[in-house]
Amino acid sequence: MSVRPAAATPTAVAADDPASEACCPAPTVGAPLPVLGRDVLVPLVTGGEVSYAALDYAASAPALQRVWDDVAAYAPYYGSVHRGAGYLSQLSTDLFENSRAAVAEFLGCRADDQVVFTRSTTDSLNLLASVLPQGTQVFVFETEHHASLLPWQQASGDEVSVLDAPRTPRQAVETLERALAAREPHGPALVCVTGASNVTGELWPVRELTAAAHAHGARIVLDAAQLAPHHPVDIAESDVDWVAFSGHKLYAPFGSGVLAGRADWLREAEPYLAGGGASRTVARRSDGGVDVEWHTTAARHEAGSPNVIGAYAIASACKALTEAGFDALVEREQALVARVREGLAEVPEVRVLSLFGDDAPRVGVLSFVVDGWNSSHVAAVLSAEYGIGVRDGLFCAHPLVRTLLGSQADEPGECGAPEAAPGERSLNAIRVSFGAGTPDEHVDRFVAAVKELVANGAQWTYRTEDGRCVPDRDA
């Protein structure tokens, strides 16, 4: 389905309008897909500059060039959505709803599923938490990102069961089956599970977990924030009830996210936000109050002026990934994963973190620690001396990282030891992540830098500032 408005509709960009072709340029096939920032030069503390190696895709992936071009081509035609009779408003409304359809196609939605545009995965899961029927029992593994772990704690009247970290995919299914079998059989239940870990990159057994949930009368929501940019996600095929993901991890960092799936709980609950757009009619009562009839479509939970640019950016990214072909993208990414793992395996001081073992399939996300080094120090040196951007810390998955590092010796290194909770040791790790826009050279440079750093140490002096390791500019 085309992302831009169809030229045949009266509200669309005219076929001979330059924006018609500019909105959807010829697809770029192959890998890596062009992304913004690939030519950015950054200074090194040791002198000179180097092209920036962005290896923090798991936090925010760079924008696809295709997405940027599509958004830039649409920008002059920007108008209010669902609000105006003018040409640009009508065009923008058409574009917004076509974007919804494109996302539904990308996710393999069922005919009666709803696609709600949100701000992020976090927002999507908080939205779902807000619509749970009273008394819903929620089951979530401690291994989840905080976006998946915490929203249910806020749901009034709901019971949350946090399950222990499994050490194999089979154990994950068995743990869930036992927990569901032990619950009260009456009342609604929801399982929340990740598709791919934002810490280890490991793929979770989504189909098996879904089958277990449904066998025990529970529904399931898939956190696809780390899965959707790397693998196809098909709601109908996997049989999950909902999928949540963020645009900024899908090469579309324009402040939008998605919650897609079954409509009934969404339709029956109070709107996530009360305001214009969510309401169908509002009438004043004689007692001074107001009566409101809310929409039953996705608009029910999209109050306010929609982020049409964010929605269009996500749709553009979905279209670009589909046209590039996930098979080719997955094959190349797995080759990069193998190169990183083989390179790090040659450094005895490096330990790659894993729940399911070395042979577990994973996306382009790996976390590790280095004996004798604080992880913040390693990340600071990679940035300051090599122009490589990685992430360090607990990755908004504190219980999981603490589980993985529970037996790790405390090695604060030269600087940057993060604050620890009372009674706990200071723990953190380094995460490298990449995807469809990563050149081979960036991965090779990263592996070479880790080897050199561990063998020879840092060239510069570093100090702790506000809990982080930074180059000492006075050295």
Side-chain angles (χ1 to χ4, degrees), residues 223-457:
D223 175 357
Q226 300 297 339
L227 184 64
H230 304 275
H231 277 268
V233 175
D234 192 307
I235 290 179
E237 181 183 357
S238 64
D239 202 28
V240 296
D241 297 282
W242 293 277
V243 164
F245 72 90
S246 293
H248 73 100
K249 298 185 192 299
L250 195 78
Y251 310 99
F254 290 90
S256 198
V258 167
L259 176 67
R262 301 200 181 278
D264 54 349
W265 286 4
L266 294 167
R267 185 173 53 241
E268 294 161 7
E270 290 296 305
Y272 184 43
L273 298 173
S279 56
R280 186 193 301 272
T281 62
V282 179
R284 184 76 183 272
R285 296 197 307 260
S286 58
D287 63 3
V290 293
D291 288 322
V292 184
E293 180 186 356
W294 303 105
H295 280 293
T296 58
T297 63
R300 185 183 189 90
H301 300 289
E302 293 177 342
S305 295
N307 180 3
V308 59
I309 287 181
Y312 182 41
I314 288 181
S316 174
C318 290
K319 190 176 180 70
L321 289 168
T322 300
E323 290 176 351
F326 263 114
D327 288 346
L329 295 176
V330 169
E331 181 180 1
R332 178 178 180 275
E333 183 176 303
Q334 289 307 301
L336 294 182
V337 170
R339 284 160 76 165
V340 171
R341 296 189 64 189
E342 290 166 3
L344 294 180
E346 296 173 0
V347 186
E349 295 85 352
V350 169
R351 178 166 74 94
V352 175
L353 305 183
S354 174
L355 268 177
F356 300 153
D358 291 342
D359 296 330
R362 69 179 74 205
V363 299
V365 178
L366 297 94
S367 296
F368 63 98
V369 291
V370 182
D371 288 345
W373 288 79
N374 176 265
S375 296
S376 180
H377 192 189
V378 174
V381 176
L382 289 175
S383 174
E385 299 182 21
Y386 297 92
I388 299 171
V390 297
R391 180 61 60 99
D392 68 278
L394 298 176
F395 318 125
C396 291
H398 294 186
L400 171 56
V401 179
R402 286 173 177 147
T403 294
L404 295 172
L405 296 180
S407 60
Q408 179 71 16
D410 190 16
E411 298 284 358
E414 184 176 329
C415 75
E419 293 183 1
E424 292 185 345
R425 291 182 293 106
S426 174
L427 298 173
N428 63 339
I430 308 144
R431 184 180 69 191
V432 57
S433 53
F434 41 87
T438 304
D440 292 7
E441 184 272 330
H442 288 183
V443 166
D444 294 338
R445 196 202 315 171
F446 163 76
V447 171
V450 171
K451 290 180 178 180
E452 182 176 284
L453 177 59
V454 174
N456 303 323

Side-chain angles (χ1 to χ4, degrees), residues 141 164-178:
F141 287 93
D164 292 340
R167 301 315 295 241
T168 67
R170 183 64 231 165
Q171 190 179 73
V173 178
E174 292 171 349
T175 298
L176 179 61
E177 286 177 334
R178 284 194 301 270

Side-chain angles (χ1 to χ4, degrees), residues 9-359:
T9 65
T11 59
V13 177
D16 58 353
D17 193 306
S20 179
E21 288 303 316
C23 277
C24 283
T28 302
V29 180
L33 291 176
V35 295
L36 298 184
R38 57 192 181 273
D39 300 322
V40 169
L41 297 178
V42 295
L44 304 179
V45 293
T46 52
E49 55 186 19
V50 66
S51 61
Y52 182 64
L55 297 179
D56 193 16
Y57 276 44
S60 284
L64 285 176
Q65 184 69 54
R66 159 71 172 273
V67 171
W68 184 261
D69 291 344
D70 281 358
V71 167
Y74 162 66
Y77 301 89
Y78 174 79
S80 63
V81 175
H82 300 151
R83 298 293 192 275
Y87 180 85
L88 299 191
S89 292
Q90 292 292 301
L91 185 149
S92 294
T93 298
D94 203 359
L95 192 76
F96 184 69
E97 293 304 331
N98 276 336
S99 296
R100 196 191 307 277
V103 171
E105 183 177 15
F106 178 76
L107 293 175
C109 286
R110 297 160 294 238
D112 55 352
D113 284 340
Q114 285 188 357
V115 173
V116 181
F117 284 115
T118 66
R119 294 176 297 177
S120 60
T121 308
T122 302
D123 196 33
S124 295
L125 293 172
N126 275 271
L127 163 57
L128 185 60
S130 76
V131 306
L132 297 184
Q134 186 72 17
T136 298
Q137 293 177 274
V138 179
F139 298 84
V140 58
F141 287 93
E142 67 171 343
T143 49
E144 294 292 316
H145 186 282
H146 293 171
S148 301
L149 183 63
L150 301 182
W152 326 109
Q153 314 290 337
Q154 311 299 320
S156 177
D158 296 330
E159 178 185 334
V160 182
S161 296
V162 179
L163 309 179
D164 292 340
R167 301 315 295 241
T168 67
R170 183 64 231 165
Q171 190 179 73
V173 178
E174 292 171 349
T175 298
L176 179 61
E177 286 177 334
R178 284 194 301 270
L180 291 172
R183 83 178 184 95
E184 291 293 331
H186 306 294
L190 177 71
V191 176
C192 180
V193 67
T194 188
S197 171
N198 78 303
V199 176
T200 67
E202 292 165 315
L203 296 174
W204 278 61
V206 175
R207 287 184 177 83
E208 293 84 351
L209 290 167
T210 300
H214 289 168
H216 290 277
R219 297 190 181 191
I220 188 167
V221 56
L222 174 65
D223 175 357
Q226 300 297 339
L227 184 64
H230 304 275
H231 277 268
V233 175
D234 192 307
I235 290 179
E237 181 183 357
S238 64
D239 202 28
V240 296
D241 297 282
W242 293 277
V243 164
F245 72 90
S246 293
H248 73 100
K249 298 185 192 299
L250 195 78
Y251 310 99
F254 290 90
S256 198
V258 167
L259 176 67
R262 301 200 181 278
D264 54 349
W265 286 4
L266 294 167
R267 185 173 53 241
E268 294 161 7
E270 290 296 305
Y272 184 43
L273 298 173
S279 56
R280 186 193 301 272
T281 62
V282 179
R284 184 76 183 272
R285 296 197 307 260
S286 58
D287 63 3
V290 293
D291 288 322
V292 184
E293 180 186 356
W294 303 105
H295 280 293
T296 58
T297 63
R300 185 183 189 90
H301 300 289
E302 293 177 342
S305 295
N307 180 3
V308 59
I309 287 181
Y312 182 41
I314 288 181
S316 174
C318 290
K319 190 176 180 70
L321 289 168
T322 300
E323 290 176 351
F326 263 114
D327 288 346
L329 295 176
V330 169
E331 181 180 1
R332 178 178 180 275
E333 183 176 303
Q334 289 307 301
L336 294 182
V337 170
R339 284 160 76 165
V340 171
R341 296 189 64 189
E342 290 166 3
L344 294 180
E346 296 173 0
V347 186
E349 295 85 352
V350 169
R351 178 166 74 94
V352 175
L353 305 183
S354 174
L355 268 177
F356 300 153
D358 291 342
D359 296 330

